[in-house]
Amino acid sequence: MGLTQTQHRFLVRQKVTPMANRYLVHTMGPDGAEGELVAFAHQKRLALKEHVTLYTDESQRQVLCTFRARQVLDLGATYDVHGASGSRLGSFRKNFGASLLRSTWHLSRHDAEEEVTGQERSERVALLRRAWEFLPFTDFLPFFVPYHFDFTASGRTVMTVDKIFGLRDRYVVDIADPELDRRLAIAQAVALDALQSR
């Protein structure tokens, strides 16, 4: 079946390996059951200019979409998202100033003038997570407390990303806006984990 625009709930799972982070994105049923694999990403660590390709499955034969930084090692870099054919889907960027307290992202769609803002819901959890990142060896021991991102535009919810409690990084992505391209939403959800410390 593959990825369709009618799917509105996904599960993103991270697999940590010594040289790379891997992300598997599955559809998620109304009962919370994991469904079909619709995206797979392999992110090399310590890349000077971040470029992540999402594939339709682990064989990495068919590209779903890509996101790439416009600048090298820029804390406020903009990442452009393109489909497999090269068509531009949109972009996202981290708001470095606002993110000192609560991580804040800005998501732009190629077919809409309105910008979507995603921010951590709880300031208390955000501050706790920042303290956790200063501890040694936390690269291989993820922050286990659940946290949530709300992406809104003009006061309405576009999508939410909720980290599930546990020692492995897992996120539930709920898309409320039927017009939001699912590839762009998945790219942003993967970036929330892959680029969080950038």
Side-chain angles (χ1 to χ4, degrees), residues 18-56:
M19 297 302 295
N21 295 326
R22 295 182 173 201
Y23 296 91
L24 294 99
V25 183
H26 291 259
T27 59
M28 201 170 187
D31 58 353
E34 187 177 300
E36 179 187 10
L37 178 69
V38 292
F40 171 79
H42 179 92
Q43 178 215 18
K44 292 179 182 176
R45 293 187 176 179
L46 305 175
L48 289 177
K49 188 172 182 181
E50 196 67 63
H51 178 203
V52 176
T53 301
L54 287 91
Y55 300 91
T56 56

Side-chain angles (χ1 to χ4, degrees), residues 93-106:
R93 63 183 171 83
K94 191 172 185 180
N95 184 326
F96 180 71
S99 294
L100 293 175
L101 286 178
R102 283 193 287 176
S103 287
T104 302
W105 292 78
H106 299 291

Side-chain angles (χ1 to χ4, degrees), residues 111 116 158 181 184 194:
D111 57 352
V116 177
V158 173
D181 192 300
L184 181 59

